[in-house]
Amino acid sequence: IGKCQNEIRLVHGFCLLGSRSLVDAFNNIAVFLEQNPNEVILIPAQIDYSTGGEFTLLELDELLKAQAPAFRNFVYVHNPDLPSWPTLGELIDNNTRILFFHYNGEQCSNPNVCPPGFLDWFVYAAESNFQFLQSDDLDDKATACEATRGGDGRGDFYGLNIFTQIPNPQSCSILNDYDFLKVHTTACAAVTGRNVNLLLVDCWDVGDVLKF
């Protein structure tokens, strides 16, 4: 999430490469949830000030409240003093089916900075290395499983990055194979001592990701 031509938008690196209306995208997410009442969505959003200037999380929240209120109403508000997170069933029952995280922008150490429901991703999550040139690089479990981002906080979420830097169908078919996913997640849990509860993949519809 960054600024392009002074508007808060979805962008990946450079506005010149293209951007998308954040409001349109988040309203689409709300429509999807309205049409699929048993789905829960977790969004770790990178805040990128390098594209066109800074903005506050309060500004982002005001934009969502004004132009994507249905999305905002789905956002789960987490109490950091709770010993655990709600189950998927509890999120569905309460209709708070968006977990909205952010990173690289303002941090939530000051409670006045982060609006309710805006959660600091790397306080709660850790992610493994993501710089793999080819699928064979993930065979080195010590490197592939190491938590290289986050993990200094509670570590409630541990996400495995299982993809190559340049996505391609051949790598996807190898890495998204059921047996590979089983061996890899089991090995990473043993190497790190963390429970794997998030998979970050390319080509989610290739291979056995959903089955796994």
Side-chain angles (χ1 to χ4, degrees):
I1 301 176
K3 269 191 172 182
C4 291
Q5 296 180 332
N6 209 36
E7 179 185 347
I8 299 176
R9 296 178 64 86
L10 295 178
V11 59
H12 196 166
F14 303 95
C15 295
L16 290 175
L17 296 179
S19 65
R20 183 177 180 184
S21 166
L22 179 142
V23 169
D24 287 349
F26 281 18
N27 278 324
N28 285 341
I29 291 173
V31 170
F32 172 83
L33 289 177
E34 289 164 356
Q35 295 175 347
N36 297 271
N38 290 322
E39 297 292 343
V40 174
I41 294 181
L42 185 153
I43 302 175
Q46 178 182 353
I47 306 297
D48 189 351
Y49 292 148
S50 69
T51 61
E54 297 188 8
F55 55 92
T56 68
L57 294 176
L58 290 173
E59 286 180 80
L60 176 59
D61 189 37
E62 289 303 315
L63 174 66
L64 295 176
K65 286 178 178 177
Q67 300 188 40
F71 176 96
R72 192 64 181 88
N73 290 338
F74 277 118
V75 172
Y76 165 73
V77 178
H78 184 62
N79 180 351
D81 295 328
L82 292 177
S84 62
W85 290 77
T87 65
L88 293 175
E90 289 168 340
L91 292 168
I92 291 167
D93 290 343
N94 294 326
N95 210 25
T96 51
R97 295 183 285 127
I98 294 174
L99 279 67
F100 185 69
F101 297 90
H102 57 89
Y103 62 97
N104 285 9
E106 294 176 298
Q107 297 181 334
C108 296
S109 54
N110 181 347
N112 295 321
V113 165
C114 293
F118 280 53
L119 305 170
D120 203 327
W121 178 234
F122 287 122
V123 168
Y124 298 104
E127 289 182 16
S128 65
N129 183 25
F130 61 92
Q131 296 175 319
F132 306 112
L133 296 178
Q134 56 191 8
S135 57
D136 289 350
D137 292 344
L138 280 85
D139 292 340
D140 178 359
K141 301 306 180 188
T143 299
C145 300
E146 180 186 5
T148 57
R149 296 201 295 176
D152 295 331
R154 293 173 42 150
D156 297 331
F157 299 96
Y158 170 38
L160 282 186
N161 290 301
I162 307 178
F163 53 81
T164 53
Q165 283 182 278
I166 301 176
N168 65 82
Q170 182 178 3
S171 292
C172 289
S173 64
I174 294 171
L175 300 178
N176 294 355
D177 177 75
Y178 188 95
D179 290 337
F180 177 87
L181 291 170
K182 182 176 181 180
V183 169
H184 191 63
T185 54
T186 301
C188 286
V191 167
T192 64
R194 299 173 182 267
N195 291 320
V196 178
N197 49 20
L198 293 175
L199 301 183
L200 297 91
V201 304
D202 278 325
C203 325
W204 63 268
D205 55 347
V206 173
D208 308 309
V209 174
L210 296 183
K211 179 182 176 182
F212 181 75

